[in-house]
Each structure stands twice: as structure tokens, then as C-alpha cells.
Amino acid sequence: TYLDGDQGELYYRGYPIEQIAEKSNFTEVMYLLLHGELPNKSQFETFTAGINKYNYVAEEMKKIMDAFPRSAHPMGVLSSLTSALVAFNPKAVDVQSKDDLDHAAEMLIAKFSHLAAWTYRKKQGLPLNHGDNKLNYVENFYRMCFRMPNQEFEMDPVIVDALDKLLILHADHEQNCSTSTV
């Protein structure tokens, strides 16, 4: 990623952010950042299937979430929950193995949307939602954040598009964001 705020330039792997935000979705951008190129149809389907395979968080994670007060800062909660994931997948990742790294990245991407949505809902005092593999990544995140248990949830395509673009814009910014937290 290349960022020059003074010049208003942001590139992910050589692609200008304007082009990516207009023609890609967040899942494609995750693939781009991990693999260095935008996915073709087959690569995208495989990547999405890998994420969907792990699109759940163990029920025990709710107990960890319950230990935090509603007043806890969301970044502290999210950081702690992310660190706790290793307890549910203790197998060491062989950093020399591309397959192991790809697998670990897919698992983290899949679970992180839950953790972020749960952190938001905890702060709001709302019950936690699980994902739905019939939805794409951003739609799923949106639904997990805002679906009320006693109401039918309607997907607002304007909000989904705005959220998709927001996630793309914040996907990677060199080291000017809190890389140590991640």
C-alpha cells in the first residue's frame, strides 16, 4: 500500500483507490492485499468459500464478551477477542507455508466480522447475531450489526454500498493506523 495524504494518493498493490472503490468489493480487496492481485472469478469463488467455511465464532466467545462491561472501549474489546481466537484454534501456523498462511487469513477474515459486529452490539446493549452465508461479506456484517431479534431485517443497498466502500478505504493504510493493535 502506498499512501501520500498531502497529495491525496492511496494505492493498494499499485491500484488507485478510486478504481478499486468503483469496480471492486471488500472481499476482492482482501484478496488483493493478501495475494498481490485482484482475483479472477475462480479465485474469488475459492476465497469466498474459504471465508464462508469459517463464518462462525464459537459460543464460548460469548462468555468472553460477557466479561466486558458495556462501558469498555471497543478497540480494547476487539483486540482482546481477536487475541482469544488462538485459544479456539491452537494449531501453530507454519509461516513458511503459503497454504497455512492463506488458511489463517481466511479464518481471521471470516471471524473478524463477527467480533466487530459483536463488539458494536455489546456497546449498544443488544443481543449478539450470527452470520448468514447466503449474504456477501459486507451484507453479512451489516446484518450482524443491525438486525433486531424481533423484527424482519431489510437490506438497504445504499448502506451496503457505503459500508463496502468504507471498509475498502480503511482496509490497509501502511503503518499509519494502529498496526500494533491488529
Side-chain angles (χ1 to χ4, degrees):
T1 297
Y2 172 77
L3 171 66
D4 185 335
D6 293 335
Q7 297 296 316
E9 296 177 338
L10 175 59
Y11 291 83
Y12 289 170
R13 300 287 191 141
Y15 292 89
I17 196 65
E18 300 86 355
Q19 178 184 346
I20 292 172
E22 182 181 329
K23 298 181 179 180
S24 299
N25 65 47
F26 181 66
T27 307
E28 290 171 320
V29 171
M30 289 295 90
Y31 186 94
L32 169 68
L33 293 173
L34 291 168
H35 299 283
E37 62 186 16
L38 288 167
N40 61 35
K41 184 178 179 185
S42 173
Q43 291 167 327
F44 181 76
E45 288 171 357
T46 301
F47 186 63
T48 301
I51 291 170
N52 286 346
K53 182 177 179 181
Y54 299 102
N55 184 23
Y56 63 89
V57 175
E59 284 294 313
E60 293 94 341
M61 286 291 280
K62 286 184 177 180
K63 292 178 183 172
I64 297 170
M65 176 66 83
D66 287 342
F68 290 100
R70 273 184 62 190
S71 62
H73 193 283
M75 282 307 293
V77 174
L78 191 55
S79 177
S80 297
L81 292 173
T82 304
S83 294
L85 286 175
V86 74
F88 298 92
N89 186 37
K91 179 183 171 269
V93 175
D94 178 1
V95 296
Q96 302 299 318
S97 166
K98 181 174 178 354
D99 288 341
D100 269 16
L101 290 173
D102 288 347
H103 175 73
E106 288 172 1
M107 285 181 61
L108 182 58
I109 290 167
K111 295 178 184 317
F112 198 79
S113 61
H114 281 71
L115 302 183
W118 285 8
T119 299
Y120 169 77
R121 290 184 70 86
K122 171 75 176 194
K123 190 80 172 160
Q124 303 303 312
L126 298 170
L128 307 180
N129 288 323
H130 285 283
D132 180 351
N133 281 346
K134 292 181 230 134
L135 302 173
N136 73 34
Y137 190 88
V138 174
E139 291 169 339
N140 200 18
F141 176 64
Y142 172 50
R143 180 183 171 277
M144 285 190 291
C145 284
F146 300 108
R147 184 180 72 81
M148 299 305 284
N150 58 345
Q151 298 173 3
E152 202 55 43
F153 184 75
E154 291 191 33
M155 198 69 59
D156 184 334
V158 173
I159 293 176
V160 171
D161 185 57
L163 184 56
D164 194 55
K165 297 214 180 345
L166 180 71
L167 290 172
I168 288 170
L169 291 172
H170 289 86
D172 187 35
H173 288 237
E174 285 184 330
Q175 298 219 6
N176 66 341
C177 294
S178 183
T179 305
S180 62
T181 298
V182 175

